[in-house]
Amino acid sequence: MTQRTTLAAFRRSIPVLALSVAFFACSDESPNNNNDENIKGNSLLLNFTSDYTTGELRWMHPDSARLSEGTLPFWQDSKVSTAEGNIFILENNPGTLSCILPQSIGDKIKQERLSAEFPYGATAIGNKGYIALNDVDYIQVFNVNTCTPSEKIDLPISDANASTIKASGDTLLVTLQRLENWSATKSGLLVRINASTKTLIDTIQLKLYNPSSSVLSKGKLYVSLQGAYDPIDYSIDMTKTGIEVVDLATGTSEILKTGTELGGGAGSIALDEANQILYVTSVSVDWVTSVKSINLASKTIGSTLPDIVNASGGIVFDKAGKKLFIGDKAGLKVYDTVAKTTQTIGNQNPLLPPYSLAIVNF
């Protein structure tokens, strides 16, 4: 599921059953070594998988037809982020940061505990990394090379519930959900922070509620917002979910599409920048997640992508191969944007559903 606030509320109500088991070393015979044909080249598709009991990281070269044989175990509620040629695994409850170089994936991991419990996303500017945390009102800074947490940057409001973080030059772009008792009662905010001075630049009021995913492109930040959930049955107010576009030059935001137009609550987004096509997962009233496209030039919604069961594991776009990777509940899939066909990636045994996707270029 991509409904993070709903899941976060649920997970806070149950005891922690296990800690991460990601401290390990691989032998020379491990399939995770650099001779694996699926980690050659200068990019990797990262597929964190979870059945809400077990979690593990899988990977492949985006041009491959199958996942690598290698697996890395992590806590079942973890998210993968990438920046500056690095891979960051963010584990929840307890909050843990793992730093992985893609060239040595499976062989070397640096791991540090965080003082916060619920990291949601990470980015980097040079050798400094920055983590958006959903349960505290600050951004955690860390050293990318050592994975060591350092200073903190305070957010301008309490109960901020940071959910996404992107870097534009020396500026951090942080979206805030603003929750009360894990329900969105106010529209989201975008906070801009000068990373060098650790000072607030400004805040931009969003129109919709509960931001969950963002993509930065050519001076614009595209933000998907999940909307406000009914605290009893978790139904979504379709007038408060959708996609917004923030013009960073003017500091203004406009609604691109609402949930009513999308036919469901907005979830993960990914951008085909060359063709100006935005892909979005859309959650229906019966909690089935489809994938749709939005033509940014005409602002029209395309047909639902074919052969997808439930894209609850998110989406990510590979611009080199012009392919969209889809975290389908039935397994990792890839949509060919030229042929307009969807294929299932091979070697997904043992099968855990995709939970969080990313691409790293190095």
Side-chain angles (χ1 to χ4, degrees):
M1 296 176 66
T2 58
Q3 288 64 43
R4 293 177 175 174
T5 55
T6 302
L7 290 175
F10 172 73
R11 292 184 187 115
R12 283 167 171 78
S13 67
I14 60 175
V16 178
L17 299 178
L19 297 177
S20 168
V21 290
F23 293 100
F24 54 85
C26 297
S27 67
D28 292 337
E29 291 76 29
S30 169
N32 299 335
N33 63 48
N34 290 334
N35 293 321
D36 191 323
E37 64 175 353
N38 288 339
I39 63 172
K40 290 181 179 179
N42 59 356
S43 63
L44 281 179
L45 181 283
L46 291 314
N47 176 28
F48 183 78
T49 62
S50 172
D51 60 1
Y52 303 107
T53 300
T54 302
E56 63 183 20
L57 181 67
R58 306 291 303 273
W59 57 87
M60 60 181 276
H61 189 277
D63 288 337
S64 178
R66 57 192 285 111
L67 287 162
S68 167
E69 298 287 344
T71 65
L72 297 179
F74 289 95
W75 171 240
Q76 53 88 7
D77 185 13
S78 299
K79 301 170 185 69
V80 56
S81 293
T82 62
E84 299 281 6
N86 295 274
I87 303 167
F88 308 117
I89 304 296
L90 304 167
E91 296 178 89
N92 281 346
N93 202 9
T96 305
L97 168 68
S98 297
C99 302
I100 306 171
L101 289 175
Q103 301 92 324
S104 57
I105 190 169
D107 295 323
K108 296 179 181 179
I109 293 180
K110 296 176 182 178
Q111 191 171 63
E112 295 284 345
R113 282 289 302 273
L114 301 171
S115 55
E117 293 295 301
F118 293 93
Y120 258 37
T123 191
I125 301 172
N127 293 326
K128 282 195 174 182
Y130 303 87
I131 304 174
L133 304 155
N134 199 242
D135 59 326
V136 293
D137 298 328
Y138 60 80
I139 299 300
Q140 178 66 64
V141 186
F142 66 96
N143 185 301
V144 168
N145 296 321
T146 65
C147 210
T148 306
S150 54
E151 64 267 37
K152 300 170 183 177
I153 303 175
D154 290 332
L155 292 169
I157 63 170
S158 58
D159 298 320
N161 306 106
S163 56
T164 75
I165 185 167
K166 295 290 185 289
S168 176
D170 197 40
T171 300
L172 297 174
L173 308 170
V174 187
T175 62
L176 309 182
Q177 293 177 331
R178 299 206 294 173
L179 309 177
E180 293 181 13
N181 296 320
W182 307 111
S183 179
T185 59
K186 301 175 183 177
S187 60
L189 287 179
L190 171 62
V191 175
R192 294 196 280 195
I193 297 170
N194 184 302
S196 294
T197 62
K198 306 178 188 62
T199 56
L200 176 70
I201 298 172
D202 62 8
T203 62
I204 299 172
Q205 181 76 54
L206 301 177
K207 296 175 173 61
L208 303 175
Y209 288 53
N210 201 0
S212 64
S213 180
S214 64
V215 175
L216 178 64
S217 172
K218 299 179 180 179
K220 292 183 178 180
L221 186 72
Y222 297 86
V223 184
S224 69
L225 300 99
Q226 295 178 346
Y229 294 90
D230 184 290
I232 304 300
D233 62 7
Y234 296 115
S235 61
I236 307 170
D237 183 344
M238 294 299 171
T239 66
K240 295 179 179 179
T241 176
I243 309 293
E244 288 191 47
V245 186
V246 183
D247 187 322
L248 298 176
T250 63
T252 58
S253 180
E254 66 171 326
I255 296 175
L256 177 64
K257 294 294 175 183
T258 66
T260 301
E261 294 170 294
L262 291 170
S268 179
I269 56 175
L271 179 63
D272 176 354
E273 191 171 49
N275 293 301
Q276 287 294 284
I277 302 294
L278 186 72
Y279 294 93
V280 55
T281 62
S282 177
V283 186
S284 67
V285 293
D286 55 356
W287 294 93
V288 174
T289 306
S290 60
V291 182
K292 299 181 180 180
S293 63
I294 303 174
N295 185 307
L296 295 178
S298 63
K299 297 185 179 180
T300 56
I301 299 174
S303 301
T304 300
L305 270 57
D307 302 315
I308 296 168
V309 177
N310 192 338
S312 57
I315 54 177
V316 66
F317 191 78
D318 170 34
K319 64 179 181 180
K322 299 180 176 62
K323 295 179 290 189
L324 180 74
F325 287 91
I326 303 160
D328 196 345
K329 188 176 182 180
L332 180 65
K333 295 184 179 179
V334 58
Y335 175 71
D336 187 319
T337 60
V338 177
K340 309 298 183 185
T341 56
T342 304
Q343 303 292 329
T344 300
I345 296 297
N347 188 29
Q348 299 192 60
N349 185 33
L351 176 64
L352 293 178
Y355 186 74
S356 175
L357 302 178
I359 287 179
V360 60
N361 299 303
F362 56 96

mmCIF file of all heavy atoms in Angstrom, residues 12 16 18-20 23 74-75 77-79 89-98 111-120 131-136 138 140 147 149:
data_model
loop_
_atom_site.group_PDB
_atom_site.id
_atom_site.type_symbol
_atom_site.label_atom_id
_atom_site.label_comp_id
_atom_site.label_asym_id
_atom_site.label_seq_id
_atom_site.Cartn_x
_atom_site.Cartn_y
_atom_site.Cartn_z
ATOM 1 N N ARG A 12 2.126 2.094 14.497
ATOM 2 C CA ARG A 12 2.405 2.655 15.812
ATOM 3 C C ARG A 12 1.556 1.992 16.893
ATOM 4 O O ARG A 12 1.811 2.159 18.072
ATOM 5 C CB ARG A 12 2.135 4.162 15.783
ATOM 6 C CG ARG A 12 3.250 4.963 15.092
ATOM 7 C CD ARG A 12 2.774 6.362 14.813
ATOM 8 N NE ARG A 12 3.815 7.226 14.354
ATOM 9 C CZ ARG A 12 4.294 7.238 13.114
ATOM 10 N NH1 ARG A 12 3.817 6.381 12.238
ATOM 11 N NH2 ARG A 12 5.249 8.076 12.754
ATOM 12 N N VAL A 16 6.969 -3.597 18.426
ATOM 13 C CA VAL A 16 8.032 -3.953 17.504
ATOM 14 C C VAL A 16 8.396 -5.413 17.749
ATOM 15 O O VAL A 16 8.777 -5.808 18.845
ATOM 16 C CB VAL A 16 9.265 -3.055 17.734
ATOM 17 C CG1 VAL A 16 10.381 -3.465 16.802
ATOM 18 C CG2 VAL A 16 8.888 -1.605 17.530
ATOM 19 N N ALA A 18 10.685 -7.193 15.794
ATOM 20 C CA ALA A 18 12.054 -7.560 15.443
ATOM 21 C C ALA A 18 12.826 -6.315 15.059
ATOM 22 O O ALA A 18 12.250 -5.309 14.680
ATOM 23 C CB ALA A 18 12.065 -8.554 14.290
ATOM 24 N N LEU A 19 14.143 -6.404 15.162
ATOM 25 C CA LEU A 19 15.012 -5.339 14.716
ATOM 26 C C LEU A 19 15.575 -5.714 13.361
ATOM 27 O O LEU A 19 15.417 -6.820 12.871
ATOM 28 C CB LEU A 19 16.153 -5.133 15.723
ATOM 29 C CG LEU A 19 15.716 -4.690 17.117
ATOM 30 C CD1 LEU A 19 16.937 -4.605 18.024
ATOM 31 C CD2 LEU A 19 14.990 -3.359 17.092
ATOM 32 N N SER A 20 16.231 -4.768 12.735
ATOM 33 C CA SER A 20 16.816 -5.043 11.431
ATOM 34 C C SER A 20 17.861 -6.146 11.536
ATOM 35 O O SER A 20 18.586 -6.272 12.520
ATOM 36 C CB SER A 20 17.473 -3.772 10.895
ATOM 37 O OG SER A 20 18.279 -4.061 9.789
ATOM 38 N N PHE A 23 22.881 -6.296 9.409
ATOM 39 C CA PHE A 23 24.306 -6.338 9.689
ATOM 40 C C PHE A 23 24.824 -7.712 9.286
ATOM 41 O O PHE A 23 24.518 -8.721 9.928
ATOM 42 C CB PHE A 23 24.578 -6.124 11.185
ATOM 43 C CG PHE A 23 24.235 -4.744 11.650
ATOM 44 C CD1 PHE A 23 23.035 -4.501 12.302
ATOM 45 C CD2 PHE A 23 25.100 -3.692 11.440
ATOM 46 C CE1 PHE A 23 22.719 -3.224 12.740
ATOM 47 C CE2 PHE A 23 24.791 -2.423 11.879
ATOM 48 C CZ PHE A 23 23.598 -2.190 12.531
ATOM 49 N N PHE A 74 16.109 -6.509 5.217
ATOM 50 C CA PHE A 74 15.880 -5.324 6.029
ATOM 51 C C PHE A 74 14.531 -5.469 6.727
ATOM 52 O O PHE A 74 13.737 -6.356 6.400
ATOM 53 C CB PHE A 74 15.889 -4.052 5.166
ATOM 54 C CG PHE A 74 17.239 -3.670 4.633
ATOM 55 C CD1 PHE A 74 17.628 -4.062 3.366
ATOM 56 C CD2 PHE A 74 18.118 -2.929 5.396
ATOM 57 C CE1 PHE A 74 18.876 -3.722 2.858
ATOM 58 C CE2 PHE A 74 19.371 -2.573 4.909
ATOM 59 C CZ PHE A 74 19.746 -2.974 3.633
ATOM 60 N N TRP A 75 14.281 -4.568 7.665
ATOM 61 C CA TRP A 75 12.990 -4.528 8.350
ATOM 62 C C TRP A 75 11.888 -4.350 7.304
ATOM 63 O O TRP A 75 12.039 -3.620 6.333
ATOM 64 C CB TRP A 75 13.001 -3.401 9.360
ATOM 65 C CG TRP A 75 11.691 -3.062 10.026
ATOM 66 C CD1 TRP A 75 11.049 -1.857 9.984
ATOM 67 C CD2 TRP A 75 10.888 -3.897 10.856
ATOM 68 N NE1 TRP A 75 9.896 -1.891 10.729
ATOM 69 C CE2 TRP A 75 9.764 -3.142 11.281
ATOM 70 C CE3 TRP A 75 10.992 -5.222 11.282
ATOM 71 C CZ2 TRP A 75 8.770 -3.660 12.093
ATOM 72 C CZ3 TRP A 75 10.001 -5.744 12.096
ATOM 73 C CH2 TRP A 75 8.911 -4.968 12.493
ATOM 74 N N ASP A 77 9.206 -2.706 6.981
ATOM 75 C CA ASP A 77 8.693 -1.379 6.651
ATOM 76 C C ASP A 77 9.871 -0.460 6.360
ATOM 77 O O ASP A 77 10.262 0.356 7.192
ATOM 78 C CB ASP A 77 7.844 -0.842 7.804
ATOM 79 C CG ASP A 77 7.177 0.493 7.469
ATOM 80 O OD1 ASP A 77 7.177 0.858 6.287
ATOM 81 O OD2 ASP A 77 6.670 1.155 8.388
ATOM 82 N N SER A 78 10.449 -0.601 5.168
ATOM 83 C CA SER A 78 11.617 0.191 4.778
ATOM 84 C C SER A 78 11.373 0.826 3.420
ATOM 85 O O SER A 78 10.576 0.342 2.627
ATOM 86 C CB SER A 78 12.873 -0.686 4.703
ATOM 87 O OG SER A 78 13.178 -1.264 5.950
ATOM 88 N N LYS A 79 12.081 1.929 3.177
ATOM 89 C CA LYS A 79 11.953 2.643 1.915
ATOM 90 C C LYS A 79 13.346 2.872 1.339
ATOM 91 O O LYS A 79 14.315 3.021 2.083
ATOM 92 C CB LYS A 79 11.233 3.976 2.133
ATOM 93 C CG LYS A 79 9.841 3.819 2.732
ATOM 94 C CD LYS A 79 9.251 5.152 3.150
ATOM 95 C CE LYS A 79 7.921 4.963 3.856
ATOM 96 N NZ LYS A 79 8.092 4.320 5.186
ATOM 97 N N ILE A 89 18.793 3.157 2.469
ATOM 98 C CA ILE A 89 17.667 2.359 2.951
ATOM 99 C C ILE A 89 17.224 2.943 4.287
ATOM 100 O O ILE A 89 18.020 3.080 5.217
ATOM 101 C CB ILE A 89 18.031 0.879 3.131
ATOM 102 C CG1 ILE A 89 18.592 0.306 1.817
ATOM 103 C CG2 ILE A 89 16.815 0.086 3.583
ATOM 104 C CD1 ILE A 89 17.603 0.294 0.681
ATOM 105 N N LEU A 90 15.949 3.299 4.368
ATOM 106 C CA LEU A 90 15.393 3.921 5.566
ATOM 107 C C LEU A 90 14.444 2.936 6.225
ATOM 108 O O LEU A 90 13.382 2.620 5.687
ATOM 109 C CB LEU A 90 14.653 5.203 5.182
ATOM 110 C CG LEU A 90 15.485 6.230 4.405
ATOM 111 C CD1 LEU A 90 14.601 7.297 3.811
ATOM 112 C CD2 LEU A 90 16.550 6.844 5.299
ATOM 113 N N GLU A 91 14.849 2.446 7.392
ATOM 114 C CA GLU A 91 14.039 1.476 8.123
ATOM 115 C C GLU A 91 13.255 2.178 9.226
ATOM 116 O O GLU A 91 13.772 3.066 9.905
ATOM 117 C CB GLU A 91 14.924 0.390 8.729
ATOM 118 C CG GLU A 91 15.656 -0.461 7.697
ATOM 119 C CD GLU A 91 16.552 -1.492 8.353
ATOM 120 O OE1 GLU A 91 16.075 -2.603 8.628
ATOM 121 O OE2 GLU A 91 17.736 -1.177 8.585
ATOM 122 N N ASN A 92 12.026 1.739 9.426
ATOM 123 C CA ASN A 92 11.151 2.303 10.453
ATOM 124 C C ASN A 92 11.134 1.448 11.710
ATOM 125 O O ASN A 92 11.219 0.227 11.647
ATOM 126 C CB ASN A 92 9.712 2.401 9.927
ATOM 127 C CG ASN A 92 9.532 3.605 9.009
ATOM 128 O OD1 ASN A 92 10.369 4.494 8.965
ATOM 129 N ND2 ASN A 92 8.436 3.631 8.272
ATOM 130 N N ASN A 93 11.000 2.150 12.842
ATOM 131 C CA ASN A 93 10.608 1.521 14.097
ATOM 132 C C ASN A 93 11.456 0.304 14.476
ATOM 133 O O ASN A 93 10.947 -0.797 14.509
ATOM 134 C CB ASN A 93 9.123 1.132 14.001
ATOM 135 C CG ASN A 93 8.456 0.979 15.345
ATOM 136 O OD1 ASN A 93 9.033 1.309 16.375
ATOM 137 N ND2 ASN A 93 7.246 0.469 15.346
ATOM 138 N N PRO A 94 12.750 0.484 14.847
ATOM 139 C CA PRO A 94 13.439 1.755 15.084
ATOM 140 C C PRO A 94 13.993 2.360 13.803
ATOM 141 O O PRO A 94 14.302 1.650 12.850
ATOM 142 C CB PRO A 94 14.569 1.359 16.020
ATOM 143 C CG PRO A 94 14.890 -0.045 15.614
ATOM 144 C CD PRO A 94 13.581 -0.665 15.245
ATOM 145 N N GLY A 95 14.121 3.684 13.785
ATOM 146 C CA GLY A 95 14.645 4.369 12.616
ATOM 147 C C GLY A 95 16.112 4.050 12.406
ATOM 148 O O GLY A 95 16.936 4.209 13.311
ATOM 149 N N THR A 96 16.418 3.576 11.211
ATOM 150 C CA THR A 96 17.785 3.182 10.887
ATOM 151 C C THR A 96 18.115 3.633 9.471
ATOM 152 O O THR A 96 17.280 3.534 8.571
ATOM 153 C CB THR A 96 17.947 1.650 10.975
ATOM 154 O OG1 THR A 96 17.523 1.199 12.259
ATOM 155 C CG2 THR A 96 19.394 1.236 10.778
ATOM 156 N N LEU A 97 19.327 4.128 9.265
ATOM 157 C CA LEU A 97 19.810 4.537 7.960
ATOM 158 C C LEU A 97 20.908 3.585 7.516
ATOM 159 O O LEU A 97 21.865 3.343 8.251
ATOM 160 C CB LEU A 97 20.357 5.968 8.025
ATOM 161 C CG LEU A 97 21.160 6.452 6.805
ATOM 162 C CD1 LEU A 97 20.261 6.589 5.584
ATOM 163 C CD2 LEU A 97 21.854 7.782 7.122
ATOM 164 N N SER A 98 20.777 3.052 6.311
ATOM 165 C CA SER A 98 21.822 2.226 5.711
ATOM 166 C C SER A 98 22.293 2.895 4.431
ATOM 167 O O SER A 98 21.476 3.351 3.627
ATOM 168 C CB SER A 98 21.304 0.820 5.398
ATOM 169 O OG SER A 98 20.918 0.139 6.569
ATOM 170 N N GLN A 111 25.749 1.362 8.357
ATOM 171 C CA GLN A 111 24.429 1.472 8.965
ATOM 172 C C GLN A 111 24.512 2.224 10.284
ATOM 173 O O GLN A 111 25.427 2.002 11.081
ATOM 174 C CB GLN A 111 23.839 0.079 9.186
ATOM 175 C CG GLN A 111 22.369 0.073 9.557
ATOM 176 C CD GLN A 111 21.801 -1.335 9.554
ATOM 177 O OE1 GLN A 111 22.235 -2.166 10.340
ATOM 178 N NE2 GLN A 111 20.834 -1.596 8.693
ATOM 179 N N GLU A 112 23.551 3.141 10.498
ATOM 180 C CA GLU A 112 23.512 3.942 11.714
ATOM 181 C C GLU A 112 22.075 4.060 12.213
ATOM 182 O O GLU A 112 21.134 4.181 11.423
ATOM 183 C CB GLU A 112 24.055 5.358 11.448
ATOM 184 C CG GLU A 112 25.529 5.415 11.084
ATOM 185 C CD GLU A 112 26.440 5.214 12.272
ATOM 186 O OE1 GLU A 112 25.948 5.318 13.421
ATOM 187 O OE2 GLU A 112 27.643 4.961 12.057
ATOM 188 N N ARG A 113 21.904 4.039 13.539
ATOM 189 C CA ARG A 113 20.592 4.295 14.138
ATOM 190 C C ARG A 113 20.286 5.778 14.108
ATOM 191 O O ARG A 113 21.165 6.625 14.216
ATOM 192 C CB ARG A 113 20.575 3.796 15.590
ATOM 193 C CG ARG A 113 20.412 2.293 15.752
ATOM 194 C CD ARG A 113 19.006 1.824 15.393
ATOM 195 N NE ARG A 113 17.996 2.488 16.186
ATOM 196 C CZ ARG A 113 17.597 2.054 17.382
ATOM 197 N NH1 ARG A 113 18.122 0.964 17.895
ATOM 198 N NH2 ARG A 113 16.656 2.708 18.038
ATOM 199 N N LEU A 114 19.012 6.088 13.958
ATOM 200 C CA LEU A 114 18.534 7.466 13.986
ATOM 201 C C LEU A 114 17.789 7.716 15.294
ATOM 202 O O LEU A 114 17.227 6.795 15.878
ATOM 203 C CB LEU A 114 17.608 7.736 12.795
ATOM 204 C CG LEU A 114 18.210 7.515 11.407
ATOM 205 C CD1 LEU A 114 17.128 7.606 10.342
ATOM 206 C CD2 LEU A 114 19.319 8.536 11.131
ATOM 207 N N SER A 115 17.765 8.963 15.725
ATOM 208 C CA SER A 115 17.019 9.277 16.950
ATOM 209 C C SER A 115 15.525 9.327 16.680
ATOM 210 O O SER A 115 14.714 9.225 17.596
ATOM 211 C CB SER A 115 17.495 10.611 17.537
ATOM 212 O OG SER A 115 17.397 11.650 16.580
ATOM 213 N N ALA A 116 15.129 9.498 15.422
ATOM 214 C CA ALA A 116 13.719 9.459 15.032
ATOM 215 C C ALA A 116 13.344 8.039 14.621
ATOM 216 O O ALA A 116 14.195 7.236 14.255
ATOM 217 C CB ALA A 116 13.459 10.429 13.890
ATOM 218 N N GLU A 117 12.044 7.746 14.652
ATOM 219 C CA GLU A 117 11.581 6.390 14.383
ATOM 220 C C GLU A 117 11.108 6.172 12.952
ATOM 221 O O GLU A 117 11.103 5.047 12.466
ATOM 222 C CB GLU A 117 10.429 6.036 15.336
ATOM 223 C CG GLU A 117 10.841 5.936 16.800
ATOM 224 C CD GLU A 117 11.815 4.795 17.027
ATOM 225 O OE1 GLU A 117 11.473 3.643 16.745
ATOM 226 O OE2 GLU A 117 12.950 5.084 17.468
ATOM 227 N N PHE A 118 10.677 7.242 12.272
ATOM 228 C CA PHE A 118 9.999 7.049 10.990
ATOM 229 C C PHE A 118 10.584 7.925 9.887
ATOM 230 O O PHE A 118 9.985 8.925 9.495
ATOM 231 C CB PHE A 118 8.493 7.301 11.154
ATOM 232 C CG PHE A 118 7.824 6.270 12.021
ATOM 233 C CD1 PHE A 118 7.679 6.488 13.376
ATOM 234 C CD2 PHE A 118 7.373 5.085 11.483
ATOM 235 C CE1 PHE A 118 7.087 5.530 14.190
ATOM 236 C CE2 PHE A 118 6.782 4.116 12.282
ATOM 237 C CZ PHE A 118 6.636 4.341 13.635
ATOM 238 N N PRO A 119 11.764 7.543 9.345
ATOM 239 C CA PRO A 119 12.314 8.249 8.183
ATOM 240 C C PRO A 119 11.492 7.929 6.935
ATOM 241 O O PRO A 119 11.087 6.789 6.717
ATOM 242 C CB PRO A 119 13.730 7.687 8.079
ATOM 243 C CG PRO A 119 13.647 6.323 8.691
ATOM 244 C CD PRO A 119 12.630 6.434 9.785
ATOM 245 N N TYR A 120 11.252 8.963 6.107
ATOM 246 C CA TYR A 120 10.388 8.773 4.940
ATOM 247 C C TYR A 120 11.103 8.927 3.605
ATOM 248 O O TYR A 120 10.659 8.393 2.604
ATOM 249 C CB TYR A 120 9.225 9.774 5.007
ATOM 250 C CG TYR A 120 7.937 9.148 5.489
ATOM 251 C CD1 TYR A 120 7.934 8.171 6.472
ATOM 252 C CD2 TYR A 120 6.723 9.553 4.965
ATOM 253 C CE1 TYR A 120 6.754 7.607 6.917
ATOM 254 C CE2 TYR A 120 5.527 8.996 5.417
ATOM 255 C CZ TYR A 120 5.558 8.016 6.393
ATOM 256 O OH TYR A 120 4.389 7.466 6.832
ATOM 257 N N ILE A 131 17.530 13.803 5.549
ATOM 258 C CA ILE A 131 16.435 12.848 5.700
ATOM 259 C C ILE A 131 15.178 13.565 6.165
ATOM 260 O O ILE A 131 15.188 14.309 7.156
ATOM 261 C CB ILE A 131 16.793 11.746 6.722
ATOM 262 C CG1 ILE A 131 18.084 11.032 6.323
ATOM 263 C CG2 ILE A 131 15.649 10.735 6.840
ATOM 264 C CD1 ILE A 131 18.568 10.033 7.369
ATOM 265 N N ALA A 132 14.076 13.324 5.458
ATOM 266 C CA ALA A 132 12.752 13.773 5.904
ATOM 267 C C ALA A 132 12.207 12.745 6.874
ATOM 268 O O ALA A 132 12.187 11.540 6.579
ATOM 269 C CB ALA A 132 11.820 13.931 4.708
ATOM 270 N N LEU A 133 11.752 13.214 8.033
ATOM 271 C CA LEU A 133 11.297 12.334 9.109
ATOM 272 C C LEU A 133 9.834 12.623 9.412
ATOM 273 O O LEU A 133 9.448 13.779 9.596
ATOM 274 C CB LEU A 133 12.151 12.541 10.357
ATOM 275 C CG LEU A 133 13.666 12.347 10.127
ATOM 276 C CD1 LEU A 133 14.467 13.113 11.157
ATOM 277 C CD2 LEU A 133 14.016 10.864 10.159
ATOM 278 N N ASN A 134 9.026 11.584 9.500
ATOM 279 C CA ASN A 134 7.585 11.781 9.632
ATOM 280 C C ASN A 134 7.119 11.988 11.064
ATOM 281 O O ASN A 134 5.991 12.409 11.287
ATOM 282 C CB ASN A 134 6.851 10.582 9.021
ATOM 283 C CG ASN A 134 5.405 10.872 8.700
ATOM 284 O OD1 ASN A 134 4.492 10.255 9.235
ATOM 285 N ND2 ASN A 134 5.170 11.828 7.816
ATOM 286 N N ASP A 135 7.975 11.696 12.041
ATOM 287 C CA ASP A 135 7.527 11.732 13.434
ATOM 288 C C ASP A 135 8.163 12.829 14.268
ATOM 289 O O ASP A 135 7.839 12.980 15.448
ATOM 290 C CB ASP A 135 7.786 10.379 14.101
ATOM 291 C CG ASP A 135 9.254 9.969 14.076
ATOM 292 O OD1 ASP A 135 9.946 10.286 13.092
ATOM 293 O OD2 ASP A 135 9.718 9.315 15.029
ATOM 294 N N VAL A 136 9.080 13.606 13.687
ATOM 295 C CA VAL A 136 9.720 14.706 14.411
ATOM 296 C C VAL A 136 9.739 15.937 13.511
ATOM 297 O O VAL A 136 9.527 15.839 12.300
ATOM 298 C CB VAL A 136 11.157 14.353 14.847
ATOM 299 C CG1 VAL A 136 11.156 13.248 15.893
ATOM 300 C CG2 VAL A 136 11.997 13.941 13.637
ATOM 301 N N TYR A 138 12.114 18.058 12.432
ATOM 302 C CA TYR A 138 13.406 18.509 11.932
ATOM 303 C C TYR A 138 13.857 17.602 10.789
ATOM 304 O O TYR A 138 13.331 16.506 10.586
ATOM 305 C CB TYR A 138 14.469 18.532 13.043
ATOM 306 C CG TYR A 138 14.748 17.200 13.703
ATOM 307 C CD1 TYR A 138 15.582 16.245 13.116
ATOM 308 C CD2 TYR A 138 14.199 16.886 14.950
ATOM 309 C CE1 TYR A 138 15.850 15.030 13.727
ATOM 310 C CE2 TYR A 138 14.458 15.683 15.576
ATOM 311 C CZ TYR A 138 15.284 14.748 14.953
ATOM 312 O OH TYR A 138 15.534 13.544 15.566
ATOM 313 N N GLN A 140 17.091 15.552 9.379
ATOM 314 C CA GLN A 140 18.343 14.980 9.880
ATOM 315 C C GLN A 140 19.419 15.051 8.800
ATOM 316 O O GLN A 140 19.233 14.584 7.681
ATOM 317 C CB GLN A 140 18.132 13.522 10.288
ATOM 318 C CG GLN A 140 19.389 12.822 10.776
ATOM 319 C CD GLN A 140 19.903 13.425 12.073
ATOM 320 O OE1 GLN A 140 19.245 13.363 13.092
ATOM 321 N NE2 GLN A 140 21.098 14.006 12.027
ATOM 322 N N CYS A 147 27.887 7.610 6.616
ATOM 323 C CA CYS A 147 26.507 7.303 7.016
ATOM 324 C C CYS A 147 26.192 7.809 8.421
ATOM 325 O O CYS A 147 25.176 7.436 9.006
ATOM 326 C CB CYS A 147 26.239 5.796 6.927
ATOM 327 S SG CYS A 147 24.521 5.352 6.544
ATOM 328 N N PRO A 149 24.919 10.279 11.269
ATOM 329 C CA PRO A 149 24.066 11.451 11.489
ATOM 330 C C PRO A 149 24.855 12.564 12.169
ATOM 331 O O PRO A 149 25.739 12.319 13.002
ATOM 332 C CB PRO A 149 22.961 10.914 12.404
ATOM 333 C CG PRO A 149 22.978 9.436 12.225
ATOM 334 C CD PRO A 149 24.409 9.082 11.961
#
